[in-house]
Amino acid sequence: MGVKTQEFLVLGGQTLTELRDKIFCLTDQMMQKAGQHDPSGYFLIEDVFCNDLRNPAAIDYSEPIFDWLRNNKDEARKKWECIITGELQQKQKAIIGDVASQLPHFKAVDMQKTRFCDLKFSLGAGYQYCHQGDCKHTIVIRDMRLVHPEDVQNRAAYPIAVFQLKPRVQKCYVCKIYRATKVTVDDKWAQGNPCYFCDNCYYLLHYKDGSLVYSDFSVYDYLHD
Ligand SMILES: [Zn+2]
Ligand SMILES: [Zn+2]
């Protein structure tokens, strides 16, 4: 199980895209930097794929999944049975019979048209958020309640971030003083793999008279973990 990175307060009348736009993931930033940002994404809540199709370039990620389900009915049912009977015990299965072997009826809706109050969900269950191809996160709806007088009354302020994991920032492995700005992988002269450098130490170690001393390693810009 992962660690909680963010928590939000959302209003029942808000759309899932309003929440999506507040979710921070480093993959989004990296893809943006690399010029390969993909606006597609979905939430899978119970048996409903909520696809973000606001951007005309967005892809319906659920389509290949539906194709697979259509073309591999038996395999899909077997996998589903495995998931269900992994949770229940084999002997329980013997008692209740084959109730679990019925695949859920997955369907797809537009994320931008789906409000939280339109959803069927269980509190505390782990649902999926997928974006940038296959960057996946677990989403949990922890609690549901009425608005209190102490809550922020301005609707426009929601979704409100009530928790944000502090990003861990590496220091330069060489000087141990400055924040790292570069990270190298498979760098033969470095002290670690991966190894973190500030700009200064990176250039001191890797460059001589303005040219790279060796190049059989990978280097990336580093922001935070
Ligand atoms: Zn992500
Ligand atoms: Zn340094």
Side-chain angles (χ1 to χ4, degrees):
M1 204 58 202
V3 283
K4 180 170 81 171
T5 54
Q6 285 180 296
E7 186 174 345
F8 296 96
L9 276 177
V10 292
L11 301 171
Q14 291 191 292
T15 61
L16 271 61
T17 39
E18 289 177 82
L19 174 69
R20 190 203 169 184
D21 292 342
K22 295 263 174 150
I23 295 176
F24 174 84
C25 171
L26 207 53
T27 311
D28 283 325
Q29 290 203 331
M30 279 165 58
M31 298 303 259
Q32 198 110 48
K33 257 195 161 169
Q36 291 172 13
H37 188 265
D38 178 357
S40 323
Y42 68 76
F43 290 107
L44 174 58
I45 295 172
E46 295 292 323
D47 47 7
V48 183
F49 286 91
C50 308
N51 294 299
D52 188 349
L53 300 171
R54 287 173 295 175
N55 190 310
I59 304 161
D60 182 342
Y61 279 169
S62 71
E63 225 169 67
I65 300 169
F66 280 106
D67 283 344
W68 184 84
L69 284 171
R70 259 192 300 275
N71 300 325
N72 301 276
K73 279 205 177 89
D74 286 341
E75 200 189 338
R77 195 163 32 235
K78 268 191 202 121
K79 285 203 166 152
W80 181 249
E81 229 170 289
C82 270
I83 294 167
I84 295 298
T85 51
E87 286 169 11
L88 301 167
Q89 293 296 322
Q90 285 294 340
K91 57 179 177 188
Q92 270 179 295
K93 196 197 157 197
I95 297 163
I96 59 171
D98 255 0
V99 207
S101 67
Q102 205 51 252
L103 263 177
H105 291 284
F106 290 104
K107 52 184 184 199
V109 297
D110 285 357
M111 192 195 291
Q112 66 271 29
K113 291 180 193 153
T114 308
R115 297 169 303 167
F116 283 90
C117 59
D118 304 325
L119 290 172
K120 276 203 184 110
F121 55 82
S122 307
L123 292 180
Y127 299 123
Q128 195 175 68
Y129 167 52
C130 175
H131 69 131
Q132 301 299 347
D134 65 347
C135 188
K136 295 191 173 100
H137 304 259
T138 301
I139 304 282
V140 176
I141 303 173
R142 192 171 60 84
D143 193 13
M144 191 169 61
R145 61 172 173 84
L146 292 171
V147 180
H148 296 158
E150 311 89 73
D151 283 316
V152 176
Q153 302 296 315
N154 174 13
R155 296 182 70 89
Y158 292 84
I160 296 174
V162 290
F163 175 82
Q164 171 70 60
L165 188 74
K166 270 230 166 78
R168 210 161 67 103
V169 180
Q170 299 275 359
K171 276 192 173 180
C172 172
Y173 277 20
V174 181
C175 64
K176 297 186 171 66
I177 297 170
Y178 295 112
R179 278 177 69 150
T181 54
K182 297 247 184 276
V183 54
T184 63
V185 178
D186 299 330
D187 184 352
K188 60 187 173 193
W189 289 355
Q191 296 170 343
N193 191 20
C195 191
Y196 298 85
F197 298 94
C198 68
D199 269 335
N200 208 17
C201 296
Y202 175 75
Y203 285 103
L204 277 175
L205 190 77
H206 295 89
Y207 282 79
K208 196 170 195 276
D209 302 325
S211 52
L212 204 56
V213 182
Y214 59 99
S215 62
D216 51 341
F217 65 98
S218 312
V219 59
Y220 307 94
D221 286 333
Y222 172 77
L223 208 64
H224 56 71
D225 286 353

